[in-house]
Amino acid sequence: MSIVVMWVHLLAVIAWMGGMMFVLFVLRPVMGRSGFSSQSGQLLKRIDGRFRTIRWTSIMIILMTGFFNLLYEGGTEKIESGWGVVLLVKILFAAIAMGLTGINDFVLNSPSVHAISEHPTRSSKWLGDIVLVLTLFVLFMAVYLSRS
Ligand code: HEM
């Protein structure tokens, strides 16, 4: 059972982080090229709407499976060691990344704001990039945890 839960945890992580990397390395560069400027706002809006659902489904799954994984951790001795501290920092970074995603989706790009401007603002792009960097750190910590 715990293997299946870990598999689902990883799937959700892949969906969330993969989506962010697709936007950064594929979508934005292609949309930035001339020739797309007239349709890019509409298209970005539709793509973001679709990805928003995937993103929040993934975040909910990561949280549920993450807490389930915690139940299967190897006892208080491990949790109270340096390993436990790294786990705590991992969860803290993940929580910050999720919180910033919430600010981006529901404050900076709430549906009403989106109706006015179809293009994401500069601060919204920055926040998205910060979230990606944070999740990369979280991933590094997860690899460290699995190896020690
Ligand atoms: C950006 C968010 C997250 C990423 C990228 C991530 C990534 C990962 C990865 C790659 C693993 C597998 C490590 C292995 O091979 O054993 C893992 C395991 C785990 N995750 Fe997450 N995770 C995230 C969020 C969370 C959250 C929010 C929690 C807790 C609520 C959590 C709790 C755990 C636990 C307890 C394990 C098992 C640790 C171990 O025994 O090695 N994760 N995570």
Side-chain angles (χ1 to χ4, degrees), residues 6 9-10 13 16-17 62-63 65-67 69-71 73 78 83 87 90-91 94-95 97-98 134-135 138-139 142-143 145-147:
M6 184 64 88
H9 190 69
L10 290 176
V13 164
W16 187 24
M17 294 184 70
I62 290 170
L63 281 174
T65 52
F67 282 114
N69 286 339
L70 276 178
L71 298 177
E73 273 328 315
K78 205 173 172 191
W83 189 93
L87 179 64
K90 178 199 155 181
I91 295 172
M98 291 168 184
L134 279 172
T135 56
V138 173
L139 192 61
V143 173
L145 289 171
S146 72
R147 295 283 168 120

Side-chain angles (χ1 to χ4, degrees), residues 47-103:
I47 291 171
D48 184 63
R50 175 97 184 118
F51 183 45
R52 196 178 280 227
T53 314
I54 296 172
R55 174 161 65 227
W56 283 101
T57 309
S58 303
I59 289 175
M60 291 306 151
I61 293 173
I62 290 170
L63 281 174
M64 285 188 291
T65 52
F67 282 114
F68 187 91
N69 286 339
L70 276 178
L71 298 177
Y72 280 84
E73 273 328 315
T76 46
E77 213 171 280
K78 205 173 172 191
I79 296 277
E80 283 169 7
S81 68
W83 189 93
V85 176
V86 177
L87 179 64
L88 207 69
V89 176
K90 178 199 155 181
I91 295 172
L92 185 72
F93 271 43
I96 294 172
M98 291 168 184
L100 292 179
T101 303
I103 291 175

